Amino acid sequence: MKVVTAYIQPERLGAVKEALYEAEIYKMSVTNVLGCGQQKGYTATYRGTETEVQLLKKIRIQIALNDEFVQPCIDAIIKGARTGNIGDGKIFVENLEQCIRIRTGETGEAAIG
């Protein structure tokens, strides 16, 4: 079992969800987050004052998967998120030690579904 976490541009969320659905991956958690990487932020003018904006809006998608769905998930996220520009995002894959479905008490791969 693995957890795939992806940080993507907010405007690419629809395309990523569509690509995940095509890969038959339907369960995910989506969160609005702030962060910066190579983009390093930008300068903005607000009410006549120039300010440095270092944290940019991003979307975090977290998906718990059984092992056979990990590569299709990664491929789908790349398909939906890639524009070829700096700031397209990152994908992290981590081991998931345990999963428990609260309603039924199922554990492991059965709990992920």
Side-chain angles (χ1 to χ4, degrees):
M1 298 180 299
K2 307 277 188 202
V3 173
V4 174
T5 304
Y7 291 87
I8 63 168
Q9 294 286 349
E11 63 270 11
R12 301 304 301 165
L13 178 59
V16 170
K17 281 177 36 181
E18 185 177 315
L20 287 167
Y21 290 165
E22 288 173 8
E24 298 182 4
I25 298 168
Y26 306 106
K27 300 173 183 178
M28 67 190 81
S29 295
V30 178
T31 312
N32 289 309
V33 295
L34 297 173
C36 67
Q38 285 183 311
Q39 287 176 293
K40 300 177 186 155
Y42 60 93
T43 303
T45 304
Y46 180 71
R47 294 187 179 180
T49 305
E50 199 167 281
T51 59
E52 179 95 15
V53 178
Q54 293 179 342
L55 297 176
L56 305 173
K57 292 180 181 178
K58 301 287 183 182
I59 297 289
R60 179 176 61 197
I61 302 171
Q62 281 193 299
I63 307 169
L65 299 157
N66 291 322
D67 291 333
E68 64 268 16
F69 286 96
V70 173
Q71 194 58 51
C73 177
I74 292 168
D75 294 340
I77 292 170
I78 291 170
K79 178 182 173 186
R82 179 178 283 164
T83 66
N85 299 319
I86 290 176
D88 277 351
K90 292 254 184 349
I91 300 171
F92 301 97
V93 180
E94 302 172 88
N95 287 323
L96 179 61
E97 196 170 311
Q98 189 174 10
C99 179
I100 303 161
R101 188 184 308 255
I102 294 171
R103 178 178 52 88
T104 64
E106 292 172 295
T107 60
E109 291 183 1
I112 291 178

